[in-house]
C-alpha cells in the first residue's frame, strides 16, 4: 500500500513539474527548433561547404576534386576582370541606394501632403516591386534593345542609325542602375512614408509659429526624425544593389565581356558556363565578406548618427 502511494505521489509530482515547465518561458525555446534546423540545413551548411569548396579545384559536377590551398584566392588578385566587376558592383549598390533614397523621399513627402489621387500614385510607384526582377529586366530590354527596341524606334525618327545602348560600356552599367532604382523605388517610398506619418504635426506647427522656413523645418525636424527610416532604407538598398543579379542577366548578361558584370553574375558564369566551381566559391566568399563589411559599417555609422541627431 505504501509503495502504491509513493508511485501516485511521484506521478503527481512529475505531472506538476511538467505543467510548470510547459507554463514557463523556457518551454518556448522548443518552438525555435524547427526554424533552427532549417536555418542550419539551408544557410550554415551551404556556407561552410562553400568555404571548403573554395580551397579545391572542383568543377561543380565531378565527384573527384583535390585540395589546392589558397590558389583560388591568389588567382583573384591577378584576375584582370576583378577590378571592373568590383567597381560595377559598387556602382549598382551605392548608385541605386542614393537614387532610391532621394527619389523615394521626394515621393513620400509629396504623398504625405494633401493631394488628390495620392493612393493611386502610391500604388503605381509601388507596383514594380511585385514584378519579378528577371521579368522587369526583360521588359526594359525590349525598350533598350538595338533592333526593334522602343527607344531606338523613336531615335530612328531623328537619325539614320539606332544606338546600341546596352553594348555601350560607358552607359550600360548606369542603365542597369536606373532600372534597379525604378523597380525598388516603391520600397523606399513606403518606408519613408511610414516614418513621415509617425512625426507629430505639433513640431511643424511650433516651428511655423516661430517663423521657420520650409527648408528649415525639413532640415531640423523631418530629417532628424526620419533617421531610423533612412538607416533601414540605406542598408536594405545597399545589400540589394551589391548582390544585383536578375536585371543584369536580362539586360546584358554581364556583357560585353565583363563590362557590366557584377560579382553575382561573374560567379554564375564561372560555375555554370566555365565549370570553375572552386574559383566561383572563392568569389562568393569574397562577395559575402564585402557586403557584410559595407552593410555593417553603414548600419553602425547611421545608428550613431541617429543618436547624435
Amino acid at each position: 500500500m505504501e509503495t502504491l502511494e509513493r508511485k501516485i505521489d511521484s506521478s503527481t509530482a512529475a505531472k506538476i513539474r511538467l505543467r510548470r515547465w510547459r507554463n514557463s518561458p523556457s518551454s518556448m525555446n522548443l518552438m525555435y527548433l524547427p526554424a533552427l534546423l532549417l536555418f542550419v540545413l539551408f544557410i550554415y551548411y551551404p556556407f561552410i561547404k562553400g568555404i571548403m569548396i573554395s580551397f579545391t579545384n572542383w568543377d561543380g559536377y565531378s565527384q573527384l576534386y583535390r585540395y589546392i590551398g589558397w590558389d583560388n584566392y591568389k588567382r583573384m588578385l591577378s584576375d584582370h576582370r576583378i577590378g571592373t566587376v568590383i567597381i560595377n558592383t559598387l556602382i549598382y549598390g551605392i548608385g541605386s541606394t542614393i537614387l532610391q533614397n532621394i527619389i523615394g523621399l521626394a515621393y513620400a513627402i509629396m504623398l504625405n501632403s494633401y493631394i488628390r489621387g495620392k493612393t493611386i500614385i502610391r500604388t503605381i510607384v509601388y507596383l514594380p516591386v511585385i514584378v519579378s526582377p528577371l521579368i522587369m529586366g526583360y521588359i526594359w530590354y525590349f525598350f533598350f534593345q538595338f533592333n526593334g527596341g522602343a527607344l531606338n524606334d523613336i531615335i530612328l525618327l531623328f537619325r539614320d542609325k539606332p544606338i546600341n545602348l546596352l553594348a555601350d560600356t560607358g552607359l550600360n552599367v548606369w542603365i542597369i542602375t536606373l532600372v534597379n532604382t525604378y523597380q525598388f523605388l516603391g520600397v523606399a517610398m513606403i518606408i519613408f512614408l511610414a516614418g513621415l506619418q509617425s512625426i507629430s504635426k505639433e513640431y511643424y506647427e511650433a516651428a511655423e509659429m516661430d517663423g521657420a522656413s520650409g527648408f528649415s523645418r525639413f532640415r531640423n525636424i523631418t530629417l532628424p526624425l526620419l533617421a531610423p527610416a533612412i538607416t533601414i532604407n540605406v542598408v536594405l538598398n545597399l545589400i540589394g544593389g551589391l548582390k544585383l543579379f536578375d536585371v543584369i542577366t536580362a539586360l546584358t548578361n554581364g556583357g560585353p565581356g565583363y563590362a557590366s558584370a557584377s560579382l553575382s553574375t561573374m560567379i554564375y558564369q564561372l560555375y555554370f558556363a566555365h565549370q570553375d566551381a572552386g574559383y566561383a566559391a572563392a568569389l562568393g566568399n569574397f562577395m559575402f565578406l564585402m557586403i557584410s563589411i559595407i552593410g555593417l559599417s553603414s548600419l553602425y555609422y547611421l545608428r550613431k548618427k541617429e543618436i547624435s541627431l
Side-chain angles (χ1 to χ4, degrees):
M1 193 68 178
E2 291 180 1
T3 305
L4 181 61
E5 288 177 355
R6 288 176 183 172
K7 287 182 179 180
I8 293 172
D9 291 341
S10 61
S11 176
T12 304
K15 289 180 180 178
I16 293 171
R17 286 196 298 271
L18 180 61
R19 192 180 299 113
R20 286 176 178 172
W21 181 80
R22 284 177 179 173
N23 295 329
S24 67
S26 59
S27 65
M28 295 297 293
N29 292 332
L30 288 177
M31 308 297 271
Y32 304 140
L33 285 180
L36 184 61
L37 289 173
L38 290 173
F39 195 79
V40 170
L41 183 63
F42 293 106
I43 302 295
Y44 279 129
Y45 175 74
F47 177 70
I48 294 170
K49 194 69 176 178
I51 294 175
M52 295 170 60
I53 291 171
S54 70
F55 293 101
T56 70
N57 66 341
W58 190 41
D59 62 3
Y61 301 96
S62 174
Q63 294 183 356
L64 300 175
Y65 53 89
R66 61 185 177 84
Y67 175 79
I68 59 172
W70 294 91
D71 287 0
N72 285 324
Y73 293 94
K74 293 176 182 177
R75 182 178 163 190
M76 287 173 54
L77 300 176
S78 59
D79 193 335
H80 67 279
R81 302 166 295 183
I82 289 296
T84 300
V85 171
I86 291 176
I87 291 172
N88 291 344
T89 303
L90 292 173
I91 290 174
Y92 295 141
I94 298 172
S96 297
T97 299
I98 293 172
L99 291 174
Q100 286 179 37
N101 278 274
I102 292 175
I103 303 173
L105 180 57
Y107 267 118
I109 292 172
M110 179 184 71
L111 295 174
N112 194 46
S113 60
Y114 297 101
I115 62 170
R116 290 183 177 181
K118 61 181 180 181
T119 303
I120 297 174
I121 297 172
R122 190 184 310 171
T123 304
I124 293 171
V125 175
Y126 189 80
L127 199 59
V129 177
I130 66 176
V131 179
S132 164
L134 192 63
I135 300 299
M136 181 61 68
Y138 283 123
I139 291 171
W140 281 99
Y141 173 77
F142 292 126
F143 180 79
F144 287 111
Q145 70 176 337
F146 181 65
N147 292 316
L151 183 60
N152 272 318
D153 285 345
I154 298 171
I155 290 173
L156 287 173
L157 297 174
F158 304 97
R159 53 177 290 167
D160 297 331
K161 295 181 180 179
I163 302 174
N164 197 351
L165 294 171
L166 296 178
D168 189 329
T169 56
L171 289 176
N172 53 15
V173 172
W174 297 104
I175 289 172
I176 292 168
T177 303
L178 288 173
V179 171
N180 183 57
T181 299
Y182 166 77
Q183 178 165 21
F184 294 104
L185 178 64
V187 176
M189 178 197 69
I190 291 297
I191 293 173
F192 280 133
L193 191 57
L196 287 170
Q197 291 177 350
S198 67
I199 300 175
S200 175
K201 302 293 183 184
E202 295 177 358
Y203 296 121
Y204 296 106
E205 292 171 359
E208 192 173 356
M209 289 177 63
D210 289 338
S213 64
F215 178 78
S216 179
R217 294 196 296 271
F218 174 76
R219 171 66 183 85
N220 297 299
I221 298 174
T222 305
L223 278 183
L225 294 177
L226 270 184
I230 294 172
T231 300
I232 294 170
N233 269 328
V234 167
V235 174
L236 287 178
N237 297 158
L238 270 176
I239 294 173
L242 291 172
K243 64 183 183 66
L244 191 63
F245 173 81
D246 310 72
V247 173
I248 304 171
T249 301
L251 285 172
T252 64
N253 200 28
Y258 284 87
S260 62
S262 67
L263 283 169
S264 295
T265 58
M266 186 175 181
I267 291 167
Y268 174 83
Q269 291 170 7
L270 285 170
Y271 191 108
F272 292 101
H274 303 288
Q275 288 80 51
D276 199 353
Y279 188 39
L283 275 180
N285 293 331
F286 170 75
M287 177 181 167
F288 169 79
L289 187 63
M290 185 181 80
I291 293 177
S292 298
I293 291 172
I294 294 175
L296 291 173
S297 299
S298 302
L299 180 63
Y300 176 75
Y301 172 77
L302 291 170
R303 286 294 188 192
K304 285 186 67 177
K305 291 293 289 183
E306 286 180 28
I307 296 171
S308 63
L309 290 173

